Amino acid sequence: MSQSVMFMIDGVQVEGRAGQSILEAAGEAGVYIPRLCYKEGLSPHGSCRVCTVMVNGRPMSACTSPISLGMIVENDSPRVAQLRRDLIEMLFVAGNHFCMFCEKSGDCELQALAYRFGITAPKYPYMFPKREVDASHPDIFIDRNRCILCGRCVRASKELDGKNVFQFVGRSAEKRIAVNGEALADTDAAVTDAAADACPVGAILKKGVGYVVPVGKREYDDKPIGSDIEAKRPAAGS
Amino acid sequence: MAKPKIATTSLAGCFGCHMSLLDIDERILELVELVEFDKSPVDDIKNFTGRCAIGLVEGGCCNEHNVDVLREFRRHCDILISVGDCATMGGIPALRNTVPLRECLDEAFVNGPSVHNPDGKYPDDPEIPLILDKVYPAHEVVKIDYFLPGCPPTADTLWEALVALLNDKPVELPYQLVKYD
Amino acid sequence: MAEILEEAAIREICQAHDCNRARLLDIARAVHKKCGYISGHAMNLIADELSTHRVEVESLVSFYSFLSDKPRGRIVIRLCNDIIDQMNGAQLVGRAFSEELGIDFGRTASDGAITLEHTACIGMCDQAPAALINDVVVTNLSSDKAREIVRELRQHTDPQRLVKHLGDGNNAHELVNSMVQNNVRLPGPSIFSPVNRGEALRKALVMSPAEVIRAIKTARLRGRGGAGFPTGMKWEFARAAPGDRKFVFCNADEGEPGTFKDRAILTERADRVFAGMTIAGYAIGASEGILYLRGEYAYLRPFLEHVLQKRREDGLLGDDIFAAEREPAPPKPAGERDVHRRPGTAGRRPFSFDIRIQMGAGAYVCGEETALINSCEGMRGDPRNRPPFPAQEGFLGCPTVVNNVETLCCAAKILEEGPATFNQYGSEQSSGTKLLSISGDCRRPGIYEVSFGIELSEVLEMCGARDAIAVQVGGASGEMVAPDQYDRTICFDDLCTGGAIMVFGPGRNVLEIARSFMDFFVEESCGYCTPCRVGNVLLRERLEKILDAKGEPADLEYLEALCRTIKTGSRCGLGQTSANPVLTTLKNFRKVYEVMVQEDREGLKRSFDLQRAVAEAEELCGRESIHNHV
């Protein structure tokens, strides 16, 4: 059993274990910290910045920052919410997110976060970048229009599948996901790979199963993302 | 006291949002008690007859006519609402935004599989509004006060938002009513 | 046949680097030099030799601007397009290059011989406009010179032959052979003072490592790269960190636009830099050091290798440094006697330390210490998440100290003359001297060593820029200072800077300058985190609208909020400072913005330009819009 570490989050004392990240420890205590590039079971990435919290007044990504004794974390505050809203809106305008025909709609974590934050339209102008689609593989396709560069596929392929199917190439706004070959079909990607299930948006999807669950009955259609974590929170006063 | 007026239009959209408005079913009777429809395809009034309390805009701007109509709406309406994904982010018409304009026109009028156009010219009647370089969301052309995304936004979404605005209440829609699909 | 030979050459390059994955950047640079670019086939070969994956090689190649996966000319002309070069006529020079070659920027001439590109600041703002032609630096360019250069290159294809007059000091050394001028206008008491070779290191080695660190702390030395972290504390962390293998890195990735002091230090005081690294190695318990030299300064590499070799030969570097002096017996020649030497130190344990040079390949972000470490490990120059900090887990997971070139010089100087001498200069919080790289609208651009605490007005007086209407302190990521603030001082508590002072005279537009800086950040963002990758593009977009007279008053609040989000949300120093040009011009030059924006009373968006939006359709359809676009 790891050593217990007490810290504060939004004015509430929380107990975590030494070595845990703020995001993990908060989650166990029923405090949801919004996130996109983080996925349980993968090493943290710290790239989307959606999990940014104020730690003793300084911004830090909750997924990469370990808890420490007496740390004061600000998660649910207007300024943190505003930052997260801005980041989510940035991701929307930087890609081509056509939710109305995306198979992932309703199960998409980016969309779900926008719902959770009550975003009706981004304040930033849409960029409409030109992006490539790779449908070469028989069972999986990549639609880079929807990619938010969270790197979950990169890490899942390396850390869980023991492969190296995906990697980032380019830099700045030209950064994109590439595959280990000319096209996805040239790689050893398989539909059973963890990487095929790792994408939070509709950028990497399995073929042929898009509408097994109808729109309206999907994960985030009725309840906000993070509700499962928040359900673990002990009732006030108990 | 006169009833407040509402105007609606469909720009680069599919009229699906208007259909959704009609989907409020019997509540439409309540609505006409509350408001009077001005310029709108619902009553086929072509020109504004006066100042409107609310303008509902479906669709983004894909040609210069859309821009004119949208600007007219802004000038005549106190509150302007982007209704649906097309007005909000360009929607399906904006799929062309990553394709060069010439390619789009060639596909539509010259090379498309169902096109019969022996001289290979684009239609050039001066009455046809010129197409814009890309499809613009409404709020990139005029100031928009509220957004009701969705493809289309549900009848309940439209109803709740209108009722709130007509009663001078803040538009605070429940989680289930703000969706992008 | 040629392909087989090339294949053999690529495999040979990999093997010469022990097929070490961590040397991928060196391997890629070598393959690039050999083949002119790195093809998909070459990536496969490298991946095969290094037992990695092709996409990993592609990932690295696509990151660095000096590496290309498409064929390029044997000669690449890279014209610097930073704001200072632009002010000095880089645009005309660019047009001359372009016309003479018959190609646009980003293209290769039809014969495949010469490629023309733009590049970010190459550290020659004091002799702008300047360009890199392969590794050769050409300075003080004009349209005529540009045309002459192209004609000559077409004849002899040897960029080195473009150097007709050598620069001052070691620029004329046969291993540098460069037309670059040092332009050290004010050599101060520290950095450019004469080097008593071996003295600082000798004094350090008779002290205990803890004493060395204490000396650095007593001198209150803080990092000279811009952030100002206390050097002694950094060394102490690394010393205390567990691990047998530790590293000292010298950050010579001087990429901040407007900064060029390290260029002169490396040219004239390389020995002092290497002494500083060796002392740091002794202090933290490291035996390996790496000098990360930006790709733009490749012309200095042979000379620096020579200095390193000379130090090895003289017992100042390599195995068992000062071995002879460790023995109690041999008497030292008079004059070299060390007053600080205390009994017992003769028996100290042997200390070995060596240094290698790692070349960069065109990426500003590699100046960020964790990005620099990644780059040295043969990875993309993405900064790392912190914690852990490099002093705990850096290069190859080992405790690593990364110090700026100037900081290491200061460290050597402190050991040479003692902390008290160092402390004579500067102030309590900012002790010592600072090198300033001054460029722009001034009569005497160049390098000045000043005491911390100097007023900006004094700096302007010194360099001949009394009429400056704005001064950017700290490079692109710094602060734009207005004339009513010229009484502010250069120090860690006020204008904290790596030393870049860019002077803007009458007639310059601070908004245009800010836009130029945003171009730079958009290009140089590594793209890892959302706010920096997307936010900077958005910032530039809105700035351009305002410059285009399409802005609205609300855009100013929009810009401020966006700046805050980028600053707060970004993962590393690049994104945390990239909004500064906008933020500080908004603060200090608000009126310039205010006259550019206007409210539309009818609620229309001024930024939407109908005329522009229909222009393409008018052309394609061959008719004009019937609408009144006024």
Side-chain angles (χ1 to χ4, degrees):
Chain A
M1 190 68 189
S2 302
Q3 200 192 331
S4 149
V5 176
M6 300 299 283
F7 68 105
M8 296 281 278
I9 184 157
D10 295 327
V12 178
Q13 181 102 323
V14 168
E15 185 178 357
R17 283 171 280 116
Q20 273 184 315
S21 68
I22 297 171
L23 185 142
E24 288 164 340
E28 279 186 15
V31 176
Y32 173 65
I33 298 178
R35 74 292 297 272
L36 267 175
C37 67
Y38 173 86
K39 187 171 169 63
E40 203 177 339
L42 299 177
S43 61
H45 201 234
S47 63
C48 73
R49 313 308 286 172
V50 170
C51 73
T52 300
V53 290
M54 294 293 175
V55 177
N56 303 330
R58 291 173 57 110
M60 295 178 90
S61 50
C63 69
T64 60
S65 305
I67 52 170
S68 64
L69 182 67
M71 170 184 261
I72 295 173
V73 180
E74 172 189 328
N75 173 50
D76 189 10
S77 70
R79 63 171 177 175
V80 173
Q82 188 57 51
L83 173 72
R84 291 173 182 163
R85 201 173 287 131
D86 289 354
L87 295 169
I88 294 161
E89 292 183 14
M90 282 180 187
L91 290 170
F92 268 94
V93 300
N96 297 312
H97 298 279
F98 290 84
C99 298
M100 70 294 294
F101 64 80
C102 179
E103 291 176 34
K104 192 72 173 239
S105 191
D107 290 327
C108 169
E109 293 175 34
L110 175 66
Q111 186 192 56
L113 278 171
Y115 290 168
R116 187 181 164 108
F117 281 94
I119 294 168
T120 53
K123 60 187 146 301
Y124 308 121
Y126 285 96
M127 296 179 185
F128 295 114
K130 180 146 183 62
R131 301 265 182 84
E132 301 294 323
V133 175
D134 181 345
S136 63
H137 194 281
D139 306 317
I140 310 165
F141 71 89
I142 308 175
D143 185 347
R144 294 187 181 84
N145 287 294
R146 302 165 183 165
C147 180
I148 56 168
L149 300 169
C150 67
R152 273 161 53 164
C153 56
V154 177
R155 286 171 285 147
S157 184
K158 280 189 187 183
E159 297 168 14
L160 302 178
D161 301 329
K163 299 181 181 180
N164 208 107
V165 175
F166 303 99
Q167 188 49 280
F168 294 114
V169 299
R171 73 176 188 209
S172 68
E174 307 299 315
K175 185 175 180 172
R176 63 188 171 85
I177 280 289
V179 296
N180 190 37
E182 296 292 337
L184 190 60
D186 304 337
T187 70
D188 54 352
V191 71
T192 49
D193 287 351
D197 278 319
C199 186
V201 293
I204 297 177
L205 287 175
K206 294 174 185 173
K207 293 183 177 176
V209 294
Y211 292 96
V212 169
V213 179
V215 170
K217 296 207 178 314
R218 297 183 174 191
E219 181 144 17
Y220 308 118
D221 280 338
D222 283 320
K223 54 176 191 356
I225 188 168
S227 302
D228 51 342
I229 289 175
E230 284 167 330
K232 286 190 265 176
R233 193 167 196 167
S238 67
Chain B
M1 202 176 108
K3 285 192 278 187
K5 291 180 179 180
I6 282 190
T8 76
T9 187
S10 179
L11 306 174
C14 69
F15 273 94
C17 297
H18 275 78
M19 294 297 121
S20 199
L21 181 61
L22 300 182
D23 274 346
I24 60 175
D25 299 333
E26 75 283 358
R27 284 173 291 184
I28 198 138
L29 299 174
E30 269 179 74
L31 187 61
V32 292
E33 286 299 309
L34 286 170
V35 301
E36 189 182 315
F37 274 85
D38 198 280
K39 178 178 161 82
S40 169
V42 174
D43 53 15
D44 210 24
I45 295 178
K46 306 286 189 200
N47 295 303
F48 279 100
T49 64
R51 186 126 197 105
C52 293
I54 297 173
L56 300 179
V57 177
E58 170 186 344
C61 291
C62 85
N63 64 35
E64 52 184 346
H65 179 65
N66 295 154
V67 174
D68 289 347
V69 174
L70 182 56
R71 285 176 168 175
E72 203 191 357
F73 264 70
R74 181 68 273 181
R75 290 185 183 112
H76 283 89
C77 302
D78 295 339
I79 295 171
L80 202 55
I81 307 179
S82 271
V83 177
D85 288 343
C86 296
T88 304
M89 55 80 64
I92 302 282
L95 275 173
R96 77 159 163 99
N97 285 7
T98 60
V99 181
L101 189 57
R102 180 186 289 276
E103 237 176 88
C104 292
L105 293 175
D106 279 346
E107 186 66 18
F109 299 118
V110 184
N111 301 329
S114 60
V115 174
H116 175 71
N117 182 2
D119 41 344
K121 280 171 74 179
Y122 302 144
D124 61 353
D125 189 301
E127 286 298 310
I128 301 174
L130 285 169
I131 191 165
L132 306 184
D133 56 344
K134 64 175 186 186
V135 177
Y136 292 82
H139 64 278
E140 291 183 16
V141 177
V142 302
K143 293 194 175 78
I144 295 289
D145 303 299
Y146 293 95
F147 299 88
L148 299 174
C151 190
T154 65
D156 287 344
T157 307
L158 296 170
W159 173 253
E160 295 288 337
L162 284 175
V163 167
L165 286 171
L166 292 168
N167 289 301
D168 278 334
K169 294 220 171 90
V171 181
E172 284 166 353
L173 300 175
Y175 180 85
Q176 288 77 7
L177 292 189
V178 181
K179 291 287 177 301
Y180 305 160
D181 53 16
Chain C
M1 189 60 195
E3 270 171 35
I4 298 169
L5 283 176
E6 205 163 85
E7 194 170 319
I10 292 171
R11 289 195 189 277
E12 206 171 291
I13 288 168
C14 294
Q15 284 149 19
H17 290 87
D18 302 324
C19 294
N20 183 351
R21 169 69 181 81
R23 300 297 299 276
L24 182 55
L25 181 54
D26 293 307
I27 292 169
R29 281 185 59 99
V31 171
H32 202 275
K33 193 163 187 183
K34 178 86 200 157
C35 309
Y37 75 112
I38 301 175
S39 64
H41 181 58
M43 290 180 198
N44 279 329
L45 287 172
I46 297 170
D48 182 42
E49 284 291 328
L50 270 52
S51 303
T52 179
H53 299 83
R54 171 201 157 122
V55 74
E56 296 288 323
V57 183
E58 187 185 355
S59 180
L60 174 126
V61 169
S62 62
F63 187 86
Y64 296 94
S65 58
F66 287 5
L67 301 176
S68 171
D69 60 359
K70 303 205 173 50
R72 287 207 273 193
R74 283 283 158 189
I75 297 169
V76 181
I77 300 176
R78 293 191 178 90
L79 179 63
C80 179
N81 68 345
D82 69 29
I83 184 70
I84 302 297
D85 284 68
Q86 285 172 37
M87 282 161 41
N88 282 290
Q91 212 174 0
L92 290 174
V93 173
R95 199 176 306 155
F97 271 130
S98 193
E99 281 172 9
E100 197 65 29
L101 287 162
I103 49 170
D104 286 336
F105 276 82
R107 302 268 164 190
T108 299
S110 54
D111 59 0
I114 303 177
T115 298
L116 183 60
E117 290 180 352
H118 274 127
T119 192
C121 182
I122 60 171
M124 302 290 159
C125 287
D126 55 335
Q127 38 213 300
L132 282 174
I133 301 181
N134 291 355
D135 290 347
V136 175
V137 182
V138 287
T139 61
N140 291 314
L141 292 171
S142 62
S143 316
D144 288 348
K145 284 185 193 168
R147 290 180 197 283
E148 183 56 30
I149 283 170
V150 173
R151 275 180 228 132
E152 270 197 55
L153 284 174
R154 285 223 168 99
Q155 277 170 20
H156 57 60
T157 70
D158 178 10
Q160 190 55 54
R161 282 172 60 185
L162 298 169
V163 179
K164 306 268 167 41
H165 307 283
L166 296 173
D168 56 341
N170 282 333
N171 289 300
H173 189 283
E174 57 178 2
L175 289 171
V176 181
N177 234 323
S178 174
M179 68 168 77
V180 173
Q181 293 286 344
N182 285 325
N183 284 334
V184 179
R185 307 265 178 186
L186 182 69
S190 291
I191 308 298
F192 290 107
S193 65
V195 177
N196 192 348
R197 203 159 164 271
E199 186 64 11
L201 184 55
R202 180 174 290 112
K203 283 182 175 162
L205 293 197
V206 299
M207 297 159 80
S208 73
E211 284 171 327
V212 172
I213 292 176
R214 198 174 309 137
I216 299 294
K217 283 181 144 182
T218 308
R220 300 190 302 274
L221 176 61
R222 294 170 65 172
R224 268 21 181 187
F229 192 83
T231 308
M233 206 190 284
K234 197 184 256 191
W235 289 12
E236 201 162 54
F237 288 148
R239 170 145 199 93
D244 295 335
R245 204 173 168 202
K246 297 180 184 180
F247 292 91
V248 173
F249 278 27
C250 173
N251 184 347
D253 192 54
E254 184 176 49
E256 186 67 49
T259 315
F260 44 84
K261 64 181 178 75
D262 294 343
R263 177 198 81 205
I265 298 177
L266 293 167
T267 309
E268 298 303 328
R269 293 294 180 268
D271 255 313
R272 185 163 273 157
V273 179
F274 294 138
M277 288 178 75
T278 314
I279 291 165
Y282 177 70
I284 71 162
S287 58
E288 292 162 86
I290 293 181
L291 175 94
Y292 188 92
L293 186 63
R294 68 185 304 218
E296 290 81 350
Y297 292 169
Y299 74 100
L300 288 171
R301 185 177 185 174
F303 171 71
L304 293 171
E305 295 282 9
H306 160 78
V307 175
L308 285 174
Q309 190 50 37
K310 191 85 189 14
R311 288 183 74 82
R312 285 184 199 107
E313 286 162 14
D314 296 345
L316 301 172
L317 196 66
D319 283 340
D320 201 357
I321 292 168
F322 286 131
E325 292 177 29
R326 225 161 32 78
E327 309 303 325
K332 293 200 316 184
E336 270 203 32
R337 201 164 299 278
D338 193 329
V339 286
H340 295 301
R341 192 153 184 174
R342 277 161 278 172
T345 49
R348 69 170 174 84
R349 286 190 301 184
F351 169 62
S352 301
F353 187 82
D354 212 335
I355 296 172
R356 85 171 164 87
I357 296 175
Q358 169 71 54
M359 291 305 302
Y364 164 73
V365 70
C366 286
E368 198 280 347
E369 59 179 0
T370 59
L372 186 146
I373 291 170
N374 268 342
S375 186
C376 288
E377 288 185 13
M379 318 277 261
R380 303 161 57 81
D382 293 332
R384 294 177 176 179
N385 289 313
R386 280 180 287 198
F389 291 88
Q392 307 161 292
E393 267 179 60
F395 184 58
L396 304 175
C398 305
T400 304
V401 153
V402 184
N403 284 137
N404 178 264
V405 174
E406 187 183 345
T407 312
L408 289 162
C409 278
C410 290
K413 192 72 184 170
I414 290 165
L415 269 295
E416 200 175 316
E417 294 182 341
T421 310
F422 185 83
N423 276 343
Q424 287 174 47
Y425 307 97
S427 62
E428 179 68 24
Q429 288 303 310
S430 311
S431 68
T433 60
K434 181 78 195 83
L435 291 187
L436 302 180
S437 312
I438 305 182
S439 65
D441 296 320
C442 62
R443 279 200 291 284
R444 292 176 294 278
I447 296 161
Y448 295 72
E449 184 174 335
V450 300
S451 289
F452 269 118
I454 189 172
E455 269 192 21
L456 193 52
S457 56
E458 231 178 303
V459 173
L460 294 174
E461 182 75 26
M462 207 166 59
C463 69
R466 255 183 256 178
D467 56 351
I469 61 134
V471 182
Q472 178 82 11
V473 180
S477 67
E479 178 169 356
M480 187 75 90
V481 181
D484 61 353
Q485 306 164 316
Y486 287 170
D487 58 348
R488 293 179 63 184
T489 55
I490 309 282
C491 64
F492 291 111
D493 304 318
D494 188 2
L495 292 169
C496 178
T497 168
I501 306 280
M502 296 155 120
V503 184
F504 302 104
R508 306 290 184 194
N509 181 346
V510 292
L511 261 65
E512 299 263 11
I513 297 163
R515 194 238 319 250
S516 165
F517 290 148
M518 289 322 299
D519 282 341
F520 171 76
F521 286 120
V522 165
E523 171 69 28
E524 295 296 334
S525 165
C526 79
Y528 191 100
C529 73
T530 310
C532 181
R533 181 182 70 243
V534 184
N536 286 318
V537 177
L538 294 170
L539 211 47
R540 180 177 64 177
E541 181 265 353
R542 197 52 50 104
L543 205 51
E544 278 172 351
K545 265 182 188 164
I546 294 170
L547 269 164
D548 208 16
K550 304 267 183 214
E552 296 165 22
D555 286 332
L556 304 190
E557 285 113 70
Y558 169 98
L559 281 178
E560 272 162 344
L562 183 53
C563 287
R564 263 198 312 277
T565 294
I566 298 171
K567 260 179 121 58
T568 311
S570 290
R571 201 170 68 111
C572 82
L574 194 156
Q576 286 158 9
T577 57
S578 64
N580 283 350
V582 179
L583 213 47
T584 62
T585 48
L586 267 171
K587 185 168 155 234
N588 301 335
F589 296 85
R590 188 96 186 173
K591 286 208 171 66
V592 183
Y593 283 87
E594 280 168 353
V595 299
M596 296 297 287
V597 296
Q598 209 183 318
E599 183 79 56
D600 188 289
R601 293 217 185 93
E602 294 192 304
L604 311 187
K605 283 281 193 175
R606 289 172 46 79
S607 54
F608 177 75
D609 185 342
L610 181 56
Q611 207 154 358
R612 195 177 289 174
V614 293
E616 201 181 347
E618 283 183 325
E619 200 195 317
L620 288 172
C621 301
R623 64 184 166 97
E624 288 200 0
S625 165
I626 55 168
H627 289 77
N628 179 7
H629 295 321
V630 178

